[in-house]
Amino acid sequence: MKSRIQRSMVLIISITLVLFYAILAVILYNRNMNILESEVQQEAKYIQKAIDIAGTRYLEEMASVDWSARVTCITPDGEVLYDSRRNGEDLENHSQRAEVREALASGEGEDVRMSDTVGREMYYYALLLDDGSVLRVAREMDGLVRTALNVLPVMGGLAVLMVVFALFLARWQTKRLIKPINELDLEHPLDNSVYPELTPLLEAMDRQNKEKEAVSNMRKEFSANVSHELKTPLTSISGYAEIMMNGLVRPADIPLFSERIYKEARRLITLVEDIIKLSKLDEESVELEKEEVNLYELTREIVSRLSPQASQKNIRMEVTGEPVLCKGIRQILDEMVYNICENAIKYNNDNGRVTVWVGDTLNGPKISVTDTGIGIPKEHQERIFERFYRVDKSHSKERGGTGLGLSIVKHGAILHGAKVNVESEPGKGTRMEILFPQN
Ligand code: ADP
């Protein structure tokens, strides 16, 4: 950044200097030109007056004077009568010179051109004398290039000075600009009051920090919950086994204790399985291929798998609707529908009902599971998708719940771009819907 600022500063100064140099050369050239013109014209008028008084003889008498200007006297037909630098007879006819023609026509004339005689750029000024001949005074002048070259040494020196100064200034300025950026407190981006231009960047950093913190808190909470959830059944298993090991259980009670150990072990297995499923979904890069899945057939198959659980509570299950295809990961879709249908049984009353509808809607394929169970109070409805969140912990555990089922549903839905809706009234029942996007 430092060298970039320095480079751009030197570039700006250089461009400015070149422009300034060009403009200065043009201004100087014009100014010199104006001075030269008025001097030459003045000189011509003096000589004209002198000739008017003393005749062309005046010029010959002045021959000994060192003229800085070139003075020429030309007859009306262009013959050179006198020239202060050359012998007039050696010179060619001047009737076609622009300034001479102009003077013959209108009394005075001027021109700027390269002189064949002198070999330099010259300003010519011609005046018509009373006797009809033309007096011409000319002086060498600096062209634009020569003027520019004349100021070059001064400009060069100035340029070196300014570039050195710019480099020094840029170094000092960049140091001053960068210092507050280097001192930014990135842990608390919004506490910095540096440049307003940095506010969007600092706000984005703050958002990122908060997101990172939320993820890290969630991970910590999840790990704490997992350890707790694993410890509970393990403690029970270890307790029951210890009692049996110490011979404190009567032989008649052994089947009861074994059943308790078995149940806790099953719970532990289910929990570990759910955690594995969830962490796989969390990795986002689920590598399973998406395929066309018939949601209606899948749901019917899941409901028949759950029928032993339903008949234990004498719950009537019914699947209606129509075959509908959805592009998705079969295994994950299976887990999503299974968890929702299982909950509709788990949290249902004895002799209750579970109605499942599968079909296509204007917005895409939909699965709707309605139960006549205990329902979910309004204030819990959003939170039930959080990991390990249960409305009634003991109720859930009694039914073998891990508190992870709906988290799996939520993650599966995100993976398929689907939405999950809950409608529930305590004491009346619950309707859970998964709405998939149009294929
Ligand atoms: P669990 O393993 O406890 O069933 P879930 O994540 O599947 O965990 O559900 C979270 C909580 O949401 C459950 O503990 C329960 O309190 C509530 N819940 C889920 N589905 C229903 C339902 N159909 N009826 C009543 N409560 C439900």
Side-chain angles (χ1 to χ4, degrees), residues 343 346-347 371 375-376 384 389-391 396 401-403 405-406 430:
N343 279 352
K346 275 199 296 191
Y347 302 103
D371 65 59
I376 309 162
I384 51 173
Y389 191 85
R390 297 138 166 149
V391 176
S396 158
T402 58
L406 288 183
T430 304

Side-chain angles (χ1 to χ4, degrees), residues 286-304:
V286 181
E287 271 157 26
L288 296 168
E289 277 277 305
K290 278 195 176 171
E291 56 180 303
E292 294 282 359
V293 180
N294 186 333
L295 292 178
Y296 185 73
E297 267 175 25
L298 180 81
T299 311
R300 282 183 69 91
E301 195 256 310
I302 288 168
V303 167
S304 82

